[in-house]
Amino acid sequence: SHPQVQTKVFKTSAKSVEQELNQLYQDILDWKNFTLPISSPTRSSFRENSDENNRKIVVVLHLGVHIKATKFRLERCAYNEATFRIPDEDGYSPSKISIHNDHPFGECFVT
C-alpha cells in the first residue's frame, strides 16, 4: 500500500501562512499515532505509542519568493526577519520586523 499524500499551496500572505501553519501544527498534535522525525530529541516519547504501518510524515517545503529566481530553490536558512519589498496578497508590507520575538532579530534558523 502506498502512503496517502496531501499537498497544500499557501496564499502569498503572511497572515494566511501563519493561519495555515498553526492549523497544520494543531493537526499534528491531534494525530494519535504521530511520530517525530529521527532527529527530534523527543522522538522516543512519541515512538512508544506508534504503529510503524500507521506512521504519518509531514514535510513542509518553503521555496521562497526571491524576485530574481528562475527556478525552485530550497532554502537552507530561515531568517528571523520579515521585510517585504512589495506588499503581500493582503497588502501587508513589514519592514525589519522579528518573526519570533524570543529570538534575536535576523537569527538564521537551520534544519
Side-chain angles (χ1 to χ4, degrees):
S1 131
H2 295 286
Q4 179 183 0
V5 176
Q6 296 177 343
T7 60
K8 178 86 174 178
V9 176
F10 297 164
K11 177 179 171 183
T12 308
S13 154
K15 183 177 180 180
S16 177
V17 168
E18 181 179 16
Q19 290 171 346
E20 293 284 354
L21 288 176
N22 285 339
Q23 182 60 55
L24 176 62
Y25 182 67
Q26 189 58 52
D27 291 346
I28 290 169
L29 292 176
D30 291 343
W31 287 336
K32 182 178 179 184
N33 293 320
F34 179 72
T35 57
L36 294 173
I38 291 171
S39 61
S40 172
T42 59
R43 182 175 193 260
S44 60
S45 62
F46 281 86
R47 186 104 161 73
E48 294 169 3
N49 298 322
S50 71
D51 173 10
E52 284 296 318
N53 295 326
N54 228 359
R55 192 168 86 171
K56 294 174 176 54
I57 298 171
V58 176
V59 176
V60 177
L61 295 178
H62 180 267
L63 299 174
V65 289
H66 191 280
I67 195 166
K68 294 181 181 180
T70 58
K71 57 187 173 185
F72 291 118
R73 183 181 73 183
L74 295 179
E75 295 186 339
R76 297 181 191 179
C77 178
Y79 291 99
N80 187 28
E81 176 185 354
T83 298
F84 299 179
R85 286 186 292 275
I86 59 172
D88 67 12
E89 289 186 41
D90 290 331
Y92 180 58
S93 185
S95 180
K96 299 188 185 296
I97 305 289
S98 285
I99 298 168
H100 295 287
N101 291 327
D102 54 338
H103 291 273
F105 175 78
E107 178 179 358
C108 175
F109 297 100
V110 182
T111 57

